[in-house]
Structures are given as C-alpha cells and as structure tokens.
Amino acid sequence: MPFKPHHSLSTLSHQHHICSRSPLRLEDHTHATAMGSSTQVNLAKTVARLVVNNLFALVAVAVASGVVWIWAWPIRPEEIVERMRALPPVHVLTAVILAAGVGKMWRIRRARDVYLVEYACFRPKPCYRTPFSTCLEHAHLMPYLADEESIAFGMRLLLRSGIGEETCAPVAYHYMPPDRSLRASREEAELVIFGAVEELFARTAPAITPADIDVLIVNCSVFTPVPVLADMVVHRYGLRADVKTVNLSGMGCSAGLISVGLARNVLQAAAPGTRVLIVSTEILSSQYYEGSERSMLLPNCLFRMGAVAMIMSSSADQARFRLRHAVRTVTAGRDADYRCVFQEEDGKGNTGVRLSKDLAATAGRALKDNIVAFGPLVLPASEQLLVALSVLKRKLVRLIGSGKVRARLYRPDFRTAFEHICIHAGGRGVIDEVQRGLGLSDDDVEASRMTLHRFGNTSSSSVLYELAYLEAKGRMGKGDRVWMISFGAGFDCNSVAWECVKPAADADGPWAECIARYPVQLPEIDKQEV
C-alpha cells in the first residue's frame, strides 16, 4: 500500500506500523540531507566567490603582514617605535612628498565621476490611447491604405507583440488618413519634449533652472526639422547664449544611451560642475507607413510616442545615480546588421523603415560583441576567472581532442554584478532573445516587459521608463547597480552601468496612475503561428 502524504500516520499505523513509519523517516532524512548539502554547496560557492573577488586584497594584506613580521621580529614594539623616531627628518619628508605626488598623479589620471542628477519621462494623457479596437476600425475605414491581408497581419502582430491597450500614439495617427505633415510632427515634438523637460525642471527647482544648463543634447532618429529640435528647446526655455548644443539623428533606439556616453565625455573634459541636459525621443507623425509590405508595417504596430529628459553633471550635489561605465558597439561592418533597420521606399514609392525578420537574432549577436568589452569592466573576478577557465578548456579540447568535439564556453552570471537590468523594450522577440542569451529570470526582465505593455516601444527613451518602473515599485535601493541595454540602427548595441546614490523620494513618475496594476500576466503565444 503506497504512502499518501495527506493521510495521518495514526491512520496507517494500525495495519502497516513498520511499513508506513520507516519510509517516512527515510524520506525526511533524505530531504534533510539534500537541504543540508545544498546549503553547504551555496555556502562554499559564496566563500569561493568572496575569496576570488578579493584575492588581490588578501594577497596584499598577507605580504604586508609578512614584511612587517620579518622586519620587526624579534624586536619588541617599543624598539620599533624608537627606530621610526630615529629616522632622519629628510627621509620622512621625502617619503611624504613622494606619497603626495603619487596621490596627485592618481587623481589627475583618474576619470572624473559623472552623475545623473534627475530624469523625467513624458506621461501621455488618456486621450491619446490607441486600443486594438480603434486600430482595427481605422484600418477597415481606410481600405485605400491597407488590404484585408495586411490588416489581418497587423492585428496578429499586435496580439503577439506584448503591447497593451493603453499605449498612446500622437494626434496625427488618430486622423483618417493619418496626418503626415511637417506641422503635425512639430506639434508632436513640442508635446512630448516640452512635457518631459518641464517635468524635469519641476523636479529640480529651485536648485537647477534652465539658466544653469551648460550643454544640451537632443536625439531623435528620423525627424530632423530646420531649425533642429535642440534649437527648439533653447528657444522655448531661454537657455543661455553660450550654451553648447548637439542634435543627434539617424541612430535609432540606441541614441538615448549614445547621448549618455557623449555627455560623459563632455563632462570629464569640461569644468567641474558643468550640467548637461539630454532629451531623447522619437517623433512618429511623419513616419506612418502607407504601404502593405509586412516588414515595413512593423513600426506602425510597435512604436508609440514618448520622451525622456535627463540632467547629468560632474558634481555629486543632488545626484540620483553615478555613471560607472558606458560601452558602445557598432556592427555596421556586417551587411546583414547594416540593413537590419533600414529606411527606404517600397516598390510603390512609399517611404518607411524596414525591420528585418532577423532583428532579434541580430540584437543577440551585437550584444555578444558588446559584452566582450563591457563584461571585464563590471563582472566580479570570480565570474571572469570562470570565463577564462572555460576558454582555456575549449582551446585544450581543440588541441587534444578531435575537431568534432567542442567545449561550451561559460556564460557569466551578470546578476552577480547588477541588481537590476533594463533591456530596451524594442519588442517581445528582442526581450526574449536577451533573456535567453543572458540566462535571466522572468523577474529580471519584468521592467522591460511591463514597459512594453504599458507604453509600447518608445524608442531611445524606453530604458528610462523601465528605470521609473523599478523606482515606482520601490525596488531601487542605495548602492543598487543597474545595467541598461539598448539596440539601434547601424546596427548598434549600447551598455550603460549606473549605481544608485539616492533612491526616489516618491513614485510620482509616468507610472504613478497605473503602477498598482502591474505586473500583469501577458498572454502566451504560439511559436509556430505565422
């Protein structure tokens, strides 16, 4: 008679006293032994990781202790003090001057710290919502722009995309046909950019005002009017006449983190206390694709309006995050990567952005290239040692074994280096590919998936919406490390590492009105569905 856990021991003991009690004791003993072994293994791994990560410090302490012991033994402590007092003053003075000089040279050569003082994301009003029903109705009312096959494809894409019903599109998309005029694009730019910048200055006032901005960087990939968007910001907020401005275009969704890297370079070379205002956005109104090619219909379905404004400085005053590293990888040398995100005309002369079906795989390859440069900067020594050993093992297998035998390289665990990971919300496939490639859990990519669901693909600003999600959830603590990953046309992959200096005092950001509803359960998709 098999033992059933929900039966009490007394019920079974009447007929099977020995048979029922012995397996229970054995099972409990086995479970306890397994738990104990698991705890011991985890403890051993933790101790080993601490030893390896602090190996140099341990060796230095051991060497210093040995030198002191050899030098002092068998002299008494009183004799050591007397010897130090007996040293000639010129020797002491020389040692002090040398130490001061070495310290000065180290400070000069050390890169100046750069900080994110504050950031703010554009929060669209409910009147801009574009639920699936509205998209379907408009498509059927405009048969001259899309046939039934294209409409069906678009709806399948929306249902599988991970985008929710509350994402927002500009006013131009709500007209039939959509308004692709220059005027509509300017109005959208003013709405999202001014909304984000005004929210930012409201957060930093009165300590930082528009008059305190020294450098302005604005990035928008496709829409570049004359005067440029940077001049529009200068005119709106009356920035100083000596403000330095940069307007970036054509870099796609990676432009936000590219701007962060550019700001870092400027601040490390500029006078201490310099402030840089960064504005990242994508203007959609003039980019609506009116053709029927599927690869060019994707942007119409995935992209939504958004913007973020940030103030960065070389001063730690009021800083929220410290910038640790920024690494950019460009893979445009590969033909497939270069044409992965490509603006062109279709066979009928309709202009749009073509997204390759291999976009997710291309992002995965670019991320691998990026990690080669980024990993050594952030991974603890224990993880780097495991990677080095796996590389050595592969080389030995190739030398000793046959050519058919291959040793797998160790996949480093970036969760040992970061508490939070923000992956560009470029689409469900992109997030899936990065999660699989890095071995991340669903909790690790929650911020990315929820940002895609609530706001859609907001291009270069999406990683800051994800940071705002983490802060709105109260998960960001002092000292927490954040890894931001973005992808863009070119093909580009960018990694930026932050360290939290001061968590948000409140959650009054773009998630303020809806954070209680998240996370939500996303619908499962059929991998075999076309």
Side-chain angles (χ1 to χ4, degrees), residues 72-297:
W73 187 85
I75 304 173
R76 299 191 310 274
E78 295 81 3
E79 295 182 12
I80 297 176
V81 175
E82 292 177 1
R83 286 191 179 187
M84 296 184 66
R85 288 179 177 177
L87 290 174
V90 65
H91 292 178
V92 177
L93 180 60
T94 301
V96 172
I97 293 175
L98 286 175
V102 170
K104 181 66 175 179
M105 292 179 62
W106 180 79
R107 287 194 298 271
I108 292 175
R109 293 181 62 85
R110 184 175 66 91
R112 185 183 301 163
D113 284 338
V114 174
Y115 300 88
L116 173 61
V117 178
E118 188 56 273
Y119 71 97
C121 301
F122 170 72
R123 186 194 309 174
K125 295 181 179 179
C127 61
Y128 300 110
R129 286 178 60 242
T130 53
F132 296 171
S133 58
T134 299
C135 297
L136 182 61
E137 179 184 17
H138 281 212
H140 281 300
L141 292 174
M142 295 185 294
Y144 48 87
L145 290 184
D147 53 32
E148 287 297 326
E149 185 178 352
S150 298
I151 294 174
F153 169 76
M155 290 308 300
R156 289 199 305 271
L157 180 64
L158 281 174
L159 294 172
R160 291 160 46 89
S161 65
I163 293 177
E165 298 275 8
E166 295 183 89
T167 59
C168 296
V171 173
Y173 276 28
H174 293 261
Y175 287 102
M176 293 182 290
D179 187 356
R180 303 174 72 246
S181 66
L182 179 62
R183 175 189 54 79
S185 297
R186 284 188 183 275
E187 290 178 353
E188 180 191 351
E190 293 174 356
L191 173 68
V192 299
I193 291 177
F194 295 163
V197 173
E198 287 169 8
E199 173 70 16
L200 177 64
F201 283 130
R203 288 175 173 269
T204 59
I208 300 177
T209 65
D212 298 318
I213 300 302
D214 303 294
V215 181
L216 170 65
I217 301 174
V218 179
N219 66 261
C220 180
S221 182
V222 182
F223 178 63
T224 307
V226 178
V228 294
L229 299 177
D231 293 334
M232 184 176 71
V233 175
V234 172
H235 177 263
R236 169 78 175 195
Y237 297 100
L239 302 187
R240 303 196 316 263
D242 63 342
V243 66
K244 307 298 187 295
T245 64
V246 179
N247 203 93
L248 303 179
S249 62
M251 294 182 177
C253 303
S254 64
L257 296 189
I258 292 175
S259 297
V260 170
L262 175 59
R264 175 202 58 183
N265 296 341
V266 169
L267 290 170
Q268 289 179 343
T274 300
R275 295 187 177 96
V276 179
L277 170 61
I278 299 176
V279 180
S280 296
T281 188
E282 191 60 73
I283 306 305
L284 309 177
S285 297
S286 62
Q287 306 309 315
Y288 188 89
Y289 174 63
E290 297 181 340
S292 58
E293 292 197 20
R294 292 188 176 185
S295 60
M296 302 179 77
L297 283 170

Side-chain angles (χ1 to χ4, degrees), residues 5-19:
H6 64 273
H7 289 169
S8 65
L9 185 60
S10 59
T11 305
L12 299 174
S13 61
H14 181 69
Q15 296 180 348
H16 303 281
H17 179 74
I18 297 177
C19 188

Side-chain angles (χ1 to χ4, degrees), residues 182-514:
L182 179 62
R183 175 189 54 79
S185 297
R186 284 188 183 275
E187 290 178 353
E188 180 191 351
E190 293 174 356
L191 173 68
V192 299
I193 291 177
F194 295 163
V197 173
E198 287 169 8
E199 173 70 16
L200 177 64
F201 283 130
R203 288 175 173 269
T204 59
I208 300 177
T209 65
D212 298 318
I213 300 302
D214 303 294
V215 181
L216 170 65
I217 301 174
V218 179
N219 66 261
C220 180
S221 182
V222 182
F223 178 63
T224 307
V226 178
V228 294
L229 299 177
D231 293 334
M232 184 176 71
V233 175
V234 172
H235 177 263
R236 169 78 175 195
Y237 297 100
L239 302 187
R240 303 196 316 263
D242 63 342
V243 66
K244 307 298 187 295
T245 64
V246 179
N247 203 93
L248 303 179
S249 62
M251 294 182 177
C253 303
S254 64
L257 296 189
I258 292 175
S259 297
V260 170
L262 175 59
R264 175 202 58 183
N265 296 341
V266 169
L267 290 170
Q268 289 179 343
T274 300
R275 295 187 177 96
V276 179
L277 170 61
I278 299 176
V279 180
S280 296
T281 188
E282 191 60 73
I283 306 305
L284 309 177
S285 297
S286 62
Q287 306 309 315
Y288 188 89
Y289 174 63
E290 297 181 340
S292 58
E293 292 197 20
R294 292 188 176 185
S295 60
M296 302 179 77
L297 283 170
L298 295 175
N300 288 357
C301 300
L302 297 178
F303 283 87
R304 297 292 185 268
M305 66 175 181
V308 64
M310 301 175 277
I311 293 179
M312 294 183 63
S313 176
S314 55
S315 172
D317 294 342
Q318 300 180 331
R320 295 278 318 285
F321 292 87
R322 179 185 291 107
L323 178 62
R324 285 306 190 186
H325 303 284
V327 175
R328 180 186 180 192
T329 302
V330 181
T331 65
R334 296 194 288 253
D335 290 343
D337 291 19
Y338 174 68
R339 300 191 64 87
C340 187
V341 182
F342 206 84
Q343 185 181 23
E344 59 182 349
E345 295 177 338
D346 64 11
K348 297 181 180 180
N350 298 306
T351 302
V353 176
R354 187 184 302 277
L355 301 182
S356 169
K357 62 180 181 180
D358 299 323
L359 176 60
T362 300
R365 290 194 303 269
L367 180 59
K368 289 180 181 178
D369 294 341
N370 184 264
I371 287 176
V372 171
F374 183 70
L377 300 176
V378 298
L379 285 172
S382 57
E383 289 296 307
Q384 296 191 49
L385 178 60
L386 292 174
V387 173
L389 291 176
S390 70
V391 172
L392 179 60
K393 178 181 177 181
R394 168 175 282 192
K395 291 184 177 180
L396 290 175
V397 168
R398 287 180 177 177
L399 290 174
I400 300 173
S402 63
K404 298 181 179 180
V405 179
R406 293 190 62 184
R408 295 186 60 183
L409 290 177
Y410 173 73
R411 182 176 62 191
D413 186 1
F414 279 91
R415 289 171 295 187
T416 61
F418 298 99
E419 283 74 32
H420 311 286
I421 300 178
C422 298
I423 306 166
H424 165 55
R428 192 168 188 169
V430 172
I431 299 174
D432 289 345
E433 182 72 15
V434 176
Q435 180 182 9
R436 182 193 62 78
L438 296 178
L440 304 177
S441 67
D442 289 339
D443 291 338
D444 295 327
V445 298
E446 179 185 313
S448 302
R449 294 196 189 281
M450 296 307 105
T451 297
L452 179 64
H453 182 272
R454 174 60 183 85
F455 295 100
N457 182 354
T458 60
S459 189
S460 56
S461 62
S462 67
V463 288
L464 274 300
Y465 280 90
E466 295 168 24
L467 181 62
Y469 177 87
L470 294 170
E471 296 207 282
K473 280 292 185 181
R475 298 175 183 173
M476 189 66 62
K478 184 176 181 180
D480 282 5
R481 298 156 298 178
V482 185
W483 180 14
M484 291 184 177
I485 308 171
S486 70
F487 305 96
F491 195 81
D492 284 11
C493 178
N494 293 266
S495 288
V496 169
W498 302 95
E499 178 186 355
C500 181
V501 176
K502 182 175 63 176
D506 55 60
D508 188 20
W511 297 88
E513 299 174 355
C514 61

